[in-house]
Amino acid sequence: MTAGAVATAWLRGLGSRELTAQRRLFVFPHAAAGASAYRLAAYLPDAVEVCTVQLPGRENRLAEPALTSLDDAVAALAPLIADHTDLPYAFFGHSMGSLIAFETARRLRALGTRLPDRLFLSGMRAPGLPDRDLRHTLPDDKLLATAEFGDVDAELQELLLPLLRADLTLCETYTHRAEAPLPCPLTVLAGTDDESVDGTELAGWREHTSADFELHLFPGAPHLYVRGAERQLAETITRTFPERG
């Protein structure tokens, strides 16, 4: 597989707005989700090219084994993103995606690569805070009972269960390593009805940036607020993602 093919396999939407793009938004989905779960591109101006991370084990990469290590995911993603930092860019991650986005930014710093103009980190407690309830070792029936698959039918939920377990393993075996705060501004987002994270856990992200910090809550929204709130989310992103770098 050529380098270009590898990049487009991992970064869906890369090159989709080649003629109009002035900025790039890299999107990191939540556990058990693929790139098609996010429709932000439809609500963002043509000047923003949206590249959504497609991890192995889902959608068009279903035949590939899902990753169970955050370090492995970051090791694969960081060099690909480093090759596409010619435009001002930002990260948006939700839940598991927030952790991957954060660690990818730290890896890019270690590589000496241009860093994101801003990180939008959603629905996840700050790194270093303990997990509330470990789920990746639960029996199938109990894990399924905790899953948030939305409108997915029961048969498909069963098929998604191994992917969910792999993604939870990635998150719950992650060990935060202390480093200097990132110089990138952070916008932390969540729904006010998200029972998986509280205000203190969200505010904990503040210590991970030496730049601006903003906390934005979506009233009445649950954990998976992203689905159905793309317009409001896009407005929040464009409000704080500068027009030009």
Side-chain angles (χ1 to χ4, degrees), residues 133-221:
D133 298 299
L134 297 179
R135 296 193 288 153
H136 72 278
T137 57
L138 290 175
D140 284 355
D141 58 338
K142 292 185 177 180
L143 179 56
L144 192 58
T146 70
E148 295 182 71
F149 286 132
D151 297 329
V152 174
D153 64 55
E155 185 176 351
L156 185 53
Q157 288 184 29
E158 293 282 353
L159 291 173
L160 288 173
L161 201 56
L163 176 60
L164 176 63
R165 188 181 300 280
D167 286 353
L168 289 174
T169 301
L170 182 151
C171 292
E172 294 174 359
T173 60
Y174 160 71
T175 300
H176 175 66
R177 294 178 287 269
E179 291 183 13
L182 287 168
C184 316
L186 301 187
T187 296
V188 173
L189 313 109
T192 58
D193 290 355
D194 185 349
E195 297 181 354
S196 73
V197 65
D198 63 31
T200 300
E201 293 169 323
L202 294 169
W205 282 102
R206 186 185 299 273
E207 69 182 65
H208 296 287
T209 177
S210 59
D212 295 338
F213 176 88
E214 177 183 346
L215 177 60
H216 182 87
L217 299 177
F218 292 88

Side-chain angles (χ1 to χ4, degrees), residues 50-97:
V50 179
C51 303
T52 305
V53 170
Q54 185 77 296
L55 294 174
R58 61 212 78 209
E59 297 182 357
N60 63 315
R61 305 188 68 186
L62 189 62
E64 301 173 57
L67 299 176
T68 56
S69 161
L70 191 143
D71 286 344
D72 289 348
V74 170
L77 277 167
L80 297 177
I81 291 175
D83 287 340
H84 296 90
T85 59
D86 52 309
L87 298 175
Y89 71 101
F91 285 172
F92 169 77
H94 181 64
S95 199
M96 175 184 77

Side-chain angles (χ1 to χ4, degrees), residues 1-15 79-81 83-84:
M1 187 180 290
T2 66
V6 171
T8 53
W10 283 83
L11 303 172
R12 298 289 299 277
L14 187 64
L80 297 177
I81 291 175
D83 287 340
H84 296 90

